[in-house]
């Protein structure tokens, strides 16, 4: 079992994976996602238990004050779950991302390239949001409206930290850093791009964000391939999320 777990953490080559049974390859691809969900969820459950334990004897006045910050508390707990997940996935992340960035001649992200990524990301996110709102697509999913209301109930600073920094880093680690890089060694690159982007859309668990996430996933993975730098994918994702935050706290409010 110990050797099996070690292999799941290692960057196995395409030749090594071809020698393994299909079940191992499936587990090799999906285990990072499962670890993320399990670790994050367990962390959140433990934190909620501790909060309930600490406030079990609180006065009604204290409970009312705390309740006023319920969405911010939820955001903080979710953030801690993300950080703990990153710690658990550290070895996989380093094995995959460092190799990818070094395997080809990584392009240095100078000011001009970073600016290009920022502008492309902001324009793409803005265009998709305008198109979705103009066509009424955003109103076609009640589950999206529930998620949207919960996300934007956070205060602005918490939203920027969670959705502009922590979530992009975690999601890029899972879907581009580990899953996509591993899929390229199991499937043709075109299949890996499409399937990993589709799974990124499915991860958002509602139709509107699913379509948006799939489109953005396709673009992000192309930027990643073009730049040969993981940070380029994180920058693109982060700017896209920040653009959505700005739109929702200004134009769409």
């Amino acid at each position: 079992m110990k050797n099996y777990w070690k292999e799941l953490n290692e960057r196995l080559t395409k030749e090594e994976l071809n020698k393994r049974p299909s079940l191992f390859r499936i587990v090799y691809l999906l285990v990072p996602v499962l670890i993320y969900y399990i670790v994050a969820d367990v962390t959140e459950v433990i934190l909620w238990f501790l909060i309930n334990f600490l406030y079990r004897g609180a006065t009604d006045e204290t409970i009312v004050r705390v309740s006023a910050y319920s969405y911010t508390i939820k955001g903080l707990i979710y953030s801690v779950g993300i950080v703990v997940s990153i710690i658990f996935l550290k070895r996989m992340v380093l094995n995959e991302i460092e190799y990818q960035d070094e395997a080809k001649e990584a392009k240095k992200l100078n000011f001009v390239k970073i600016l290009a990524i920022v502008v492309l990301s902001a324009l793409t996110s803005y265009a998709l949001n305008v198109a979705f709102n103009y066509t009424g697509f955003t109103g076609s999913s009640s589950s999206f409206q529930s998620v949207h209301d919960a996300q934007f109930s956070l205060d602005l600073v918490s939203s920027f930290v969670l959705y502009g920094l922590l979530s992009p880093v975690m999601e890029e680690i899972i879907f581009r850093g580990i899953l996509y890089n591993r899929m390229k060694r199991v499937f043709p690159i075109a299949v890996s791009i499409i399937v990993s982007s589709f799974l990124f859309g499915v991860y958002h668990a509602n139709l509107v964000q699913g379509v948006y996430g799939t489109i953005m996933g396709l673009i992000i993975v192309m930027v990643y391939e073009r730049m040969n730098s993981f940070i380029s994918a994180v920058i693109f994702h982060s700017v896209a999320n920040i653009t959505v935050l700005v739109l929702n706290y200004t134009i769409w409010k």
Side-chain angles (χ1 to χ4, degrees):
M1 179 61 72
K2 184 177 180 180
N3 289 335
Y4 191 80
W5 173 247
K6 181 180 178 181
E7 288 183 330
L8 291 176
N9 277 277
E10 295 298 328
R11 185 194 176 279
L12 301 179
T13 65
K14 185 175 183 178
E15 291 73 23
E16 289 173 325
L17 286 170
N18 285 336
K19 296 177 183 178
R20 303 304 176 89
S22 298
L23 179 60
F24 176 87
R25 281 177 282 177
I26 293 172
V27 173
Y28 186 71
L29 291 175
L30 296 182
V31 72
V33 182
L34 293 176
I35 289 175
Y36 163 66
Y37 274 115
I38 293 171
V39 172
D41 287 350
V42 169
T43 301
E44 290 179 35
V45 168
I46 292 173
L47 289 175
W48 278 119
F49 173 80
L50 290 175
I51 288 174
N52 289 325
F53 178 78
L54 291 173
Y55 282 93
R56 71 188 188 282
T59 64
D60 292 341
E61 183 181 353
T62 301
I63 293 173
V64 169
R65 285 204 302 267
V66 172
S67 297
Y69 298 96
S70 60
Y71 284 109
T72 299
I73 293 172
K74 289 178 182 178
L76 290 173
I77 289 175
Y78 179 58
S79 300
V80 173
I82 290 176
V83 172
V84 175
S85 298
I86 292 175
I87 294 172
F88 269 79
L89 292 168
K90 179 181 177 181
R91 186 173 175 184
M92 288 186 197
V93 173
L94 294 178
N95 286 338
E96 294 293 343
I97 294 175
E98 286 184 354
Y99 181 88
Q100 170 69 13
D101 288 0
E102 295 172 2
K104 301 177 183 178
E105 185 179 352
K107 296 183 170 79
K108 292 183 179 180
L109 293 180
N110 55 35
F111 175 77
V112 174
K113 289 176 181 176
I114 292 175
L115 181 61
I117 292 171
V118 169
V119 171
L120 175 62
S121 176
L123 289 177
T124 303
S125 181
Y126 177 78
L128 286 174
N129 274 272
V130 169
F132 282 19
N133 278 277
Y134 181 77
T135 60
F137 184 50
T138 52
S140 64
S141 171
S142 58
S143 58
F144 166 72
Q145 292 300 325
S146 298
V147 171
H148 177 276
D149 293 343
Q151 288 179 338
F152 293 99
S153 295
L154 289 174
D155 62 272
L156 187 59
V157 174
S158 298
S159 293
F160 269 80
V161 172
L162 179 55
Y163 300 116
L165 178 61
L166 291 177
S167 288
V169 171
M170 187 68 241
E171 290 172 7
E172 288 310 309
I173 284 175
I174 294 294
F175 289 97
R176 256 65 64 176
I178 300 177
L179 183 61
Y180 170 67
N181 281 331
R182 288 187 170 192
M183 287 186 73
K184 287 195 298 182
R185 303 196 299 276
V186 177
F187 305 109
I189 189 167
V191 173
S192 302
I193 290 173
I194 294 171
V195 174
S196 65
S197 300
F198 175 73
L199 291 176
F200 180 58
V202 171
Y203 160 79
H204 289 84
N206 65 76
L207 179 61
V208 176
Q209 287 183 307
V211 174
Y212 178 87
T214 299
I215 295 172
M216 292 300 287
L218 288 168
I219 300 172
I220 292 173
V221 78
M222 291 177 190
V223 169
Y224 185 23
E225 281 293 330
R226 177 71 176 175
M227 292 291 106
N228 297 324
S229 172
F230 177 72
I231 192 63
S232 65
V234 174
I235 292 172
F236 190 101
H237 194 155
S238 180
V239 171
N241 282 12
I242 290 172
T243 301
V244 173
L245 288 174
V246 172
L247 289 174
N248 277 275
Y249 278 107
T250 55
I251 298 174
W252 309 136
K253 283 285 186 180

